Amino acid sequence: MSIATRPDPRPPVPHLADSHDLIRVHGARENNLKDVSIETPKRRLTVFTGVSGSGKSSLVFNTIAAESQRLINETYSAFVQGFMPTLARPEVDVLDGLTTVITVDQQRMGADPRSTVGTATDANAMLRILFSRLGRPHIGPPSAYAFNVPSVRASGAITVERGAKKTVKATFNRTGGMCPRCEGRGAVSDIDLTQLYDDSKSLNEGALTIPGYTAGGWNHRLYSESGLVAPDKPISKYTKKERHDFLYHEATRMKIAGINMTYEGLIPRIQKSILSKDTEAMQPHIRAFVERAVTFATCPECEGTRLGEGARSSKIGQVSIADACAMEIRDLAEWIRTVEEPSVAPLLAALRQTLDSFVEIGLGYLSLDRPSGTLSGGEAQRVKMIRHLGSSLTDVTYVFDEPTSGLHPHDIQRMNSLLLRLRDKGNTVLVVEHKPEVIAIADHVVDLGPGAGTAGGTVCFEGTVEGLRSGGTITGRHLDDRAALKETVRTPTGTLRIRGATAHNLRDVDVDIPLGVLCVVTGVAGSGKSSLVHGSIPAGEGVVSVDQSAIRGSRRSNPATYTGLLDPIRKAFAKANGVKPALFSANSEGACPACNGAGVIYTDLAMMAGVATTCEDCEGKRFDASVLDHLLGGRDISEVLAMSVAEAEEFFGAGEARTPAAHRVLTRLADVGLGYLRLGQPLTTLSGGERQRLKLATHMAEKGGVYVLDEPTSGLHLADVEQLLGLLDRLVDSGKSVIVVEHHQAVMAHADWIIDLGPGAGHDGGRVVFEGTPADLVAARATLTGEHLAAYVAG
């Protein structure tokens, strides 16, 4: 027998490189983690679960993902690192086996008016190339179809030297697709003059109604003492010249009231001083004025398409690029299949694949011209997923933050298949999730807890899904929970009539929403739920609308400042110690002088990445040392801000520190399931669900009769949903009407009345397909929601 064919009885020695198939974390102490150690398999789907605040995000995002990103950043030059965010090394002893992490989070996409679903993915770029090749008449390169590229025409001598030759070009042209009227925004703003002044009065009679332009102030005297307009003449009686000088006069240096000043018309002046600023950073009364005074209308020239005439006139068949971007993506995908041209075959194949990914992920109802700022957190996360589905990268770690947020049970099955596809390409998939449907497909489960905040931060279980079921943890016990249908439902006290609703994809919807009960509006993603609730129920007198939009606030903002809780606390401290309340604010007189009340000192290291270090003077407490000598109930202000809501509720509820005003706010925070939050925790560290519940707690103090909630179960653990249902019941029983947009079957089963929209998404939705009690919906099983709810209740 030859050596080449002799069977070798010894098994092949495994290669050392194949032994690195675990991500090992040892001694993680980030935020509330208590020396956590886990070993997660690579190229598998691992779900991290546990009650809200148990430490899931601290482990996955702030430890594993943050360290991977930090190590990647360190490979760049010091110059490049100077432009990158500074990432401190997480509090962990050992992190081994990390791969490149791609985080797909639920942060809303940028609300820039020129950012759309098409520009946020590669779809728009590919369409522009397609039209520049096949569009007739041919109008130019791909930039000629881009609504964020203006056309430029310049004249003058441009000298180009090539060796001994000199070329002189007299003109330079660049063809862009931007509509010149609206500058690619699709809408033009106009100023409502009736909101600036009362034309029946004169200036001296107080005609100006702009904040800061009251009679006697400098802004007012600029006009009344300029000599260009008559101060005692009603504005409606001004001549054409006086009106122009008052409203539109160009900036001119002149002497007014004996002082050299710059005079300019009222409109350019308020555009520079007020309208050009970020509305979110304005004081509330100025923001209210801007919202009243500035009106937005569809651009009359481009009819909202954002594109110039040339780009709209170039077509493939009968379709322009504006028509293509306005189509629902699933219709656009069908149209692209009809375009056959061998010269652009690879481009067409790539475009089809991208558009099919949208449909597959459940976003076929969107259009490419949809502004990205209008997408929900769940939609934004799925749009980000589109980029990764077609990626050639393998053996990377994908980290998802509740990818099923905002998804109907019907759509969760699609999401599951996508997560498994990413895994099967050879990637490690880490998912922070509460939904039992997602936990069920996990290869590995890490359950954190047992409680929230200081009561959490430990690993309660690590292993398979079957092991979790029998493991006895809170998650394991609640995994098979099923809310039963109500035996009796409440009787409505009245109805809110909606007639002819046509917002977005709604098709002339007529519906009566019952009042005095718990009413749930449901339907697949894109069926028109938010359009019906937010577009047809006027948010105003008696209506409290709580959505999932981000809370505006800096790293200095925290639950105590946001809810107004800090005011009664500061007053209680001031009264007990006989000093000013301002001393107990880290943003005012009580701030540590070394760090200005930030608790950390930011050091700019020029070309290298800057660093944040805990302030040595106050040790991160944010207050001047003298302020901490003042006590209330034996605690200083920094110790109070370090308390959880549950601790503070007890502290301010009785004894020497008893403060009813503070206790009321704390009770509301505990009611919405935020008992584990620390009072001084920065708002920037809260999840989307926590932010919404914080808003709900704040709004519960208002005198509204109708509460409109948008997916309040977002980010809630199975065990916490029960507490939320109790809160909704208490609101209804106290005489409120509660309208909830929701997909969670437990909330549907608990409702008194269900309005189901559909039957599909986009142009396949927008109709009411069922109205009635949950029991009737289950009995009929005539809609997708009915089928899933019936399966859930049958359990």
Side-chain angles (χ1 to χ4, degrees), residues 556-563 565-567 569-570 573 583-587 597 620-623 627-628 635-645 647-648 651-652 666 676-682:
R556 288 174 176 270
S557 305
N558 54 48
T561 58
Y562 181 77
T563 57
L565 171 65
L566 197 57
D567 288 339
I569 291 177
R570 279 164 38 201
F573 265 95
L583 275 180
F584 303 99
S585 170
N587 299 327
K621 292 180 179 177
R622 303 175 62 193
F623 291 91
V627 175
L628 303 183
R635 302 286 186 98
D636 66 44
I637 184 71
S638 70
E639 289 173 325
V640 167
L641 290 175
M643 289 180 180
S644 69
V645 167
E647 285 176 76
F651 178 71
F652 288 107
L666 290 161
Y676 60 88
L677 276 193
R678 285 182 296 107
L679 302 189
Q681 187 173 331

Side-chain angles (χ1 to χ4, degrees), residues 53 56 64 80 94 115 136 179 202 243 267 284 295 331 379 461 539-540 588 624 658 695 699 729 733 748:
K56 304 181 298 297
I64 298 173
V80 174
V94 179
S115 173
R136 293 290 175 269
C179 167
S202 68
R243 188 176 176 80
I267 286 178
T295 57
D331 297 337
E379 285 172 334
F461 173 83
S588 186
D624 189 292
R658 185 173 177 273
K695 283 188 201 174
H699 287 305
D729 276 342
D733 292 340
M748 292 183 208

Side-chain angles (χ1 to χ4, degrees), residues 279-292:
T279 51
E280 293 298 338
M282 293 175 176
Q283 293 171 291
H285 70 288
I286 297 177
R287 189 187 311 148
F289 160 74
V290 171
E291 287 167 357
R292 285 197 316 270

Side-chain angles (χ1 to χ4, degrees), residues 492-497 512-515:
T493 55
T495 55
L496 185 66
R497 290 161 58 86
D512 291 336
I513 297 179
L515 297 176

Side-chain angles (χ1 to χ4, degrees), residues 239-582:
T239 64
K240 194 173 182 180
K241 184 180 184 309
E242 282 177 322
R243 188 176 176 80
H244 175 271
D245 289 344
F246 175 51
L247 293 177
Y248 306 106
H249 199 286
E250 65 281 359
T252 309
R253 292 290 290 173
M254 57 194 296
K255 191 164 273 193
I256 299 173
I259 301 168
N260 285 325
M261 297 178 74
T262 300
Y263 177 92
E264 64 183 328
L266 186 65
I267 286 178
R269 184 173 169 80
I270 65 161
Q271 277 176 329
K272 287 176 193 168
S273 63
I274 299 178
L275 304 184
S276 62
K277 293 191 170 72
D278 177 17
T279 51
E280 293 298 338
M282 293 175 176
Q283 293 171 291
H285 70 288
I286 297 177
R287 189 187 311 148
F289 160 74
V290 171
E291 287 167 357
R292 285 197 316 270
V294 181
T295 57
F296 287 92
T298 303
C299 174
E301 279 190 26
C302 68
E303 296 176 344
T305 62
R306 307 158 181 262
L307 291 160
E309 191 178 351
R312 299 197 309 275
S313 67
S314 179
K315 298 183 178 182
I316 298 174
Q318 300 297 312
V319 177
S320 70
I321 191 168
D323 299 331
C325 289
M327 289 181 191
E328 287 193 5
I329 289 171
R330 55 191 163 190
D331 297 337
L332 178 59
E334 291 303 315
W335 176 71
I336 289 291
R337 288 183 210 290
T338 67
V339 179
E340 292 182 8
E341 175 57 50
S343 64
V344 288
L347 176 67
L348 284 168
L351 185 54
R352 283 186 202 118
Q353 186 181 357
T354 300
L355 297 175
D356 287 344
S357 296
F358 272 103
V359 177
E360 193 178 350
I361 210 165
L363 294 177
Y365 60 88
L366 295 179
S367 60
L368 294 183
D369 63 2
R370 168 89 173 258
S372 56
T374 64
L375 299 178
S376 69
E379 285 172 334
Q381 188 181 32
R382 281 176 281 151
V383 166
K384 292 173 194 170
M385 277 185 81
I386 301 288
R387 301 174 195 161
H388 305 302
L389 285 172
S391 171
S392 305
L393 290 171
T394 63
D395 225 345
V396 298
T397 300
Y398 285 98
V399 178
F400 290 94
D401 183 13
E402 293 180 37
T404 59
S405 175
L407 286 185
H408 188 272
H410 174 70
D411 299 312
I412 290 176
Q413 295 163 353
R414 282 177 171 174
M415 177 59 72
N416 281 351
S417 68
L418 292 168
L419 293 172
L420 294 172
R421 249 178 67 189
L422 280 173
R423 178 202 66 184
D424 295 344
K425 275 177 66 178
N427 299 306
T428 306
V429 182
L430 308 181
V431 185
V432 174
E433 188 53 87
H434 297 293
K435 294 276 174 70
E437 297 98 321
V438 180
I439 297 171
I441 65 162
D443 302 308
H444 189 73
V445 179
V446 177
D447 188 22
L448 289 153
T454 52
T458 60
V459 176
C460 299
F461 173 83
E462 191 177 359
T464 63
V465 179
E466 287 312 311
L468 177 68
R469 276 200 168 88
S470 55
T473 66
I474 292 178
T475 306
R477 288 200 305 273
H478 287 275
L479 201 56
D480 296 314
D481 271 8
R482 294 293 182 265
L485 293 171
K486 280 184 175 177
E487 289 182 16
T488 56
V489 295
R490 298 180 183 93
T491 307
T493 55
T495 55
L496 185 66
R497 290 161 58 86
I498 294 174
R499 294 291 177 266
T502 55
H504 301 306
N505 66 329
L506 294 179
R507 303 192 175 187
D508 213 18
V509 169
D510 294 341
V511 67
D512 291 336
I513 297 179
L515 297 176
V517 299
L518 175 58
C519 175
V520 171
V521 180
T522 187
V524 295
S527 58
K529 304 178 299 297
S530 295
S531 302
L532 178 70
V533 172
H534 296 300
S536 306
I537 300 174
E541 198 63 38
V543 176
V544 176
S545 184
V546 186
D547 61 15
Q548 291 207 19
S549 59
I551 292 173
R552 298 285 173 175
S554 67
R555 55 178 163 245
R556 288 174 176 270
S557 305
N558 54 48
T561 58
Y562 181 77
T563 57
L565 171 65
L566 197 57
D567 288 339
I569 291 177
R570 279 164 38 201
K571 284 173 185 167
F573 265 95
K575 187 176 178 185
N577 293 279
V579 291
K580 289 192 295 185

